[in-house]
Amino acid sequence: MNTDPVLADRRIAALAALAIGLQVIEAAIPSPVPGIKPGLANVITLVVLVTLGWRAALAVTLLRVVGASLLLGTLLSPGFWLSLTGALAALAVLGALLRLHPHHLSALGLAVPAAIAHTLAQFLLAWAVIIPHPQLPLLLPPLLLAGLITGVVTGILTASVLADPRIQRHVRDSSTTQSG
Amino acid sequence: MMRSLRWGDAVVVALATALVTTSFALGYAPSGGSTHLVVTQAGMDSRHYPLNENRAIQVEGPAGITEIEIQPGRARCLRSPGNQGICEAAGWLERPGDLAVSLPNRLMLQVRGARSDFDSMHY
């Protein structure tokens, strides 16, 4: 792998731009239920994670959350904090599971726990800070179901992206090489 | 795509499905039937009546007497002085949270269970 820092920065910038684009497009799609959306930008996060490692995935994710919130006008609003919390929780889970990829878990097995962690963390933040209502947990089951479904969808999308030979040759075997 | 799937994926998806199922079971388990009737009248403490046997209750209010009929698990407003019959039209109150109101008698009847249910959820 090329270790030129300028090239590495450009790579991260380009991938973050892709993720921001996906998130902005997704924000334009009307959702029948608030709080549920496909989370397509997570495909980019997953691809970055298994090709460039955990640090690059963190950089792309932070750039994506801040960049998309600038474009959508939600910077520092509750939606921004929810987005940031969900993204970081998903990354933490991905970091823990990364060593199981690709021998024991495929992208699908990474995407589903990440989506569930994303949903749970957002819910806990919303419940603790934004809407501390005692009955709010009644919303959690449908949100978790949505997280499971969107996790499967993004996992399948990620697996097909990673199956592309042009990307496949960059995929790291995290069980033998140190990521990050 | 299929070739890239691993056994761990099945474990992960099964665990996630179990989590979702458990959350639905915990959050939306039926709360059982109604166990008591709460009669609230303006200016008075609310009174509770268990829904365990047939009985009739009469409540006196500013407009007259409201007759309440109780059967095991349900209650209804049998007769009330209001001339539009709104209290009677509420029918049998069975599910926790069901209520009947008599405005002329400043009276509200509501059945409740062990746990309160929601009429609906809104954002």
Side-chain angles (χ1 to χ4, degrees), chain A residues 33-34 102-106 108-109 112-113 116 135 138-139 141-142 144-145 148 159, chain B residues 1 4-9 12-13 16-17 19-20 23-24 27-28 116 118 121 123:
Chain A
V33 184
H103 291 295
H104 303 302
L105 285 180
S106 76
L108 180 66
V112 170
I116 298 277
Q135 301 292 1
L138 278 179
L139 287 176
L144 283 177
L145 178 63
L148 173 61
Chain B
M1 156 69 212
S4 66
L5 288 180
R6 296 288 177 268
W7 63 269
D9 296 339
V12 161
V13 172
T17 308
L19 175 71
V20 171
S23 71
F24 269 101
Y28 292 90
S116 62
F118 290 96
M121 280 199 270
Y123 283 93

Side-chain angles (χ1 to χ4, degrees), chain A residues 16 21 49 54 60 75 105 116 132 138 147 159:
Chain A
L49 184 76
W54 198 82
V60 167
L75 186 63
L105 285 180
I116 298 277
L138 278 179

Side-chain angles (χ1 to χ4, degrees), chain B residues 93-106:
Chain B
L93 313 176
E94 291 175 306
R95 292 190 319 148
D98 282 353
L99 57 81
V101 176
S102 169
L103 282 187
N105 260 353
R106 300 181 185 173

Side-chain angles (χ1 to χ4, degrees), chain A:
Chain A
M1 171 135 320
N2 195 324
T3 51
D4 177 7
V6 176
L7 182 64
D9 282 354
R10 282 189 185 157
R11 221 178 240 158
I12 285 175
L15 289 159
L18 272 176
I20 291 170
L22 277 175
Q23 187 164 345
V24 169
I25 290 169
E26 195 175 86
I29 303 171
S31 165
V33 184
I36 295 178
K37 56 177 190 167
L40 292 177
N42 292 319
V43 173
I44 306 286
T45 304
L46 278 164
V47 170
V48 174
L49 184 76
V50 299
T51 53
L52 300 177
W54 198 82
R55 282 161 186 266
L58 179 64
V60 167
T61 301
L62 291 177
L63 284 170
R64 188 256 297 173
V65 170
V66 175
S69 74
L70 280 174
L71 289 177
L72 297 172
T74 58
L75 186 63
L76 304 188
S77 74
F80 167 79
W81 295 112
L82 287 171
S83 178
L84 184 66
T85 307
L88 291 180
L91 257 187
V93 167
L94 287 173
L97 294 178
L98 184 59
R99 66 186 60 217
L100 297 175
H101 180 277
H103 291 295
H104 303 302
L105 285 180
S106 76
L108 180 66
L110 293 178
V112 170
I116 298 277
H118 194 282
T119 303
L120 270 179
Q122 286 196 331
F123 176 82
L124 288 177
L125 176 67
W127 193 27
V129 179
I130 300 171
I131 319 168
H133 188 279
Q135 301 292 1
L136 202 65
L138 278 179
L139 287 176
L140 190 53
L143 291 176
L144 283 177
L145 178 63
L148 173 61
I149 294 169
T150 58
V152 168
V153 171
T154 51
I156 290 172
L157 287 174
T158 308
S160 51
V161 170
L162 290 174
D164 187 304
R166 288 165 294 177
I167 296 192
Q168 184 65 47
R169 65 193 166 91
H170 294 294
V171 173
R172 296 173 168 197
D173 188 339
S174 354
S175 57
T176 52
T177 57
Q178 190 62 41
S179 65

Side-chain angles (χ1 to χ4, degrees), chain B residues 20-81:
Chain B
V20 171
T21 313
T22 310
S23 71
F24 269 101
L26 289 179
Y28 292 90
S31 52
S34 306
T35 58
H36 59 279
L37 170 73
V38 181
V39 177
T40 314
Q41 198 168 14
M44 294 168 67
D45 290 338
S46 56
R47 283 157 287 175
H48 292 236
Y49 300 94
L51 299 180
N52 54 1
E53 56 179 10
N54 293 325
R55 67 190 284 197
I57 303 168
Q58 297 198 335
V59 179
E60 194 156 355
I65 291 176
T66 296
E67 294 178 33
I68 303 165
E69 184 183 0
I70 291 181
Q71 287 185 1
R74 59 183 191 168
R76 70 169 163 174
C77 177
L78 193 61
R79 258 181 292 282
S80 199

